[in-house]
Amino acid sequence: MKTRTQSIPRQLTIRRQHFLWLGLVILGVAALAFVQDRLHLSELERESAALHRAASQRAGQHDAHLTALSAIAVAGEGQRSDLFLGVAATISRFYPRIDEVHLVPVDPSRSSVSTVPLGPEGSELIRAAALGSTGAPVLLPHPTRDGFYLLVKRSPNNDTATNALALGIDAGQLLAGDGEFWSGENAGLRLVLPDGHILIGTGETGRAQYSRPLGSASQPLLLETTARFGILDLLPPLRVIGVTVAISLLYLIALTGLRQRGRTRAAEREAELRTMEAQLSHATRVNAMGEMASGMAHELTQPLTAI
């Protein structure tokens, strides 16, 4: 009965130790998930900043192309369309994202010069944008192609402009990146015109975690990126196993140290008890000898008194 009674507290102690170990493992895994989340967000910020720089540089090149094409159009005065088309073709060859170049006369009776066919609706849209411009290029969603936008500028860039110059730009190629980060299923990005028109939106479409307009005065397109992290991203199996093993080893080391400390204290207490028992035994013997001496003295005193 005594052995059974003693085993119950021991089982409770072992159970508490198991619960403590499990709690430490859960805390370690939660900390791992938090760290992984911070790392992924940092990577998203870094990749988004790199994409923003690249897209801003590409957008800045469009202004230079518009300026060069406008100079050629003004110099040709509508007589050298072949020269204009040759330069436009060269630009499209070296910059594939610019696959449309249009020179639309302000006078509707004159014919347009374009690298690709442009319908009456597109011509009127470009003409109206140029006439309404105050000098800064105008951004418009492409009337017939999703994911494209038009960058319109009057030529020459003054109130006496005779032409409207437009570039048709592929927003997807503007955001083309060399890394594998944006090709994954978890990452998403959007490119939005200042009027709120979404040019391109891929991947995750939740709340943007990175939002910044391109560094181009003429094309302040808003770049938004986001990412969704799954359970395997936050808790990679190998790292979870590593954390569990590390916590288990540290827990065993700490538990072994505590047990050794407990045994040392128990041994010290046992030694103190033995010392106290030895002192008590000595005192008991001294007391017994005193009582024997007192008895012997009493027995000797009676005969002596009688004599």
Side-chain angles (χ1 to χ4, degrees):
M1 180 65 69
K2 184 177 181 181
T3 304
R4 183 178 178 182
T5 304
Q6 291 177 348
S7 65
I8 294 176
R10 179 178 177 83
Q11 292 175 358
L12 293 175
T13 301
I14 293 175
R15 187 173 299 176
R16 291 193 190 100
Q17 291 174 357
H18 288 166
F19 279 122
L20 178 59
W21 169 81
L22 182 61
L24 291 175
V25 170
I26 292 174
L27 288 177
V29 172
L32 173 64
F34 177 79
V35 172
Q36 288 293 116
D37 181 69
R38 295 298 96 186
L39 290 175
H40 285 302
L41 288 177
S42 177
E43 183 182 15
L44 174 65
E45 182 78 16
R46 185 172 59 254
E47 293 290 342
S48 299
L51 182 63
H52 179 272
R53 286 193 301 270
S56 298
Q57 292 174 356
R58 294 165 185 165
Q61 294 170 349
H62 301 159
D63 295 328
H65 298 325
L66 282 176
T67 301
L69 290 169
S70 178
I72 294 173
V74 171
E77 296 182 356
Q79 303 300 319
R80 294 297 308 275
S81 59
D82 58 336
L83 179 60
F84 179 86
L85 290 174
V87 175
T90 301
I91 291 175
S92 297
R93 184 167 63 252
F94 285 100
Y95 303 92
R97 64 181 179 275
I98 307 174
D99 65 347
E100 292 186 18
V101 180
H102 306 287
L103 184 64
V104 180
V106 173
D107 184 2
S109 62
R110 295 171 53 195
S111 59
S112 302
V113 178
S114 302
T115 56
V116 298
L118 182 66
E121 181 184 355
S123 299
E124 185 58 34
L125 182 66
I126 294 173
R127 184 180 295 111
L131 291 175
S133 172
T134 58
V138 180
L139 290 173
L140 299 171
H142 200 286
T144 59
R145 304 176 71 182
D146 293 335
F148 284 74
Y149 69 95
L150 295 173
L151 180 61
V152 182
K153 181 179 181 180
R154 60 188 184 182
S155 178
N157 194 12
N158 52 46
D159 294 336
T160 61
T162 57
N163 295 296
L165 186 62
L167 300 180
I169 302 168
D170 184 353
Q173 293 197 35
L174 181 65
L175 295 182
D178 298 331
E180 298 180 357
F181 183 81
W182 302 110
S183 60
E185 297 180 355
N186 295 337
L189 54 85
R190 289 187 295 268
L191 191 64
V192 186
L193 286 173
D195 63 358
H197 179 83
I198 298 177
L199 291 172
I200 184 173
T202 62
E204 180 68 23
T205 58
R207 182 177 60 87
Q209 295 164 308
Y210 178 94
S211 180
R212 188 176 176 185
L214 298 186
S216 171
S218 64
Q219 299 155 83
L221 304 172
L222 181 64
L223 174 64
E224 296 180 341
T225 63
T226 184
R228 179 184 60 189
F229 309 125
I231 187 67
L232 292 179
D233 297 315
L234 299 178
L235 298 175
L238 291 179
R239 295 192 178 183
V240 171
I241 294 174
V243 168
T244 303
V245 171
I247 291 176
S248 301
L249 289 176
L250 292 175
Y251 179 76
L252 288 175
I253 292 173
L255 187 60
T256 302
L258 290 175
R259 287 177 176 175
Q260 182 63 33
R261 185 177 180 182
R263 285 194 291 267
T264 301
R265 288 186 175 181
E268 291 176 351
R269 285 196 297 269
E270 186 177 355
E272 291 177 357
L273 288 175
R274 289 179 179 178
T275 301
M276 293 176 64
E277 288 178 355
Q279 292 176 351
L280 182 60
S281 298
H282 178 70
T284 301
R285 290 193 297 270
V286 170
N287 185 48
M289 290 178 64
E291 290 180 355
M292 289 178 60
S294 177
M296 291 176 64
H298 178 71
E299 295 295 331
L300 291 174
T301 303
Q302 287 181 348
L304 292 174
T305 303
I307 294 173

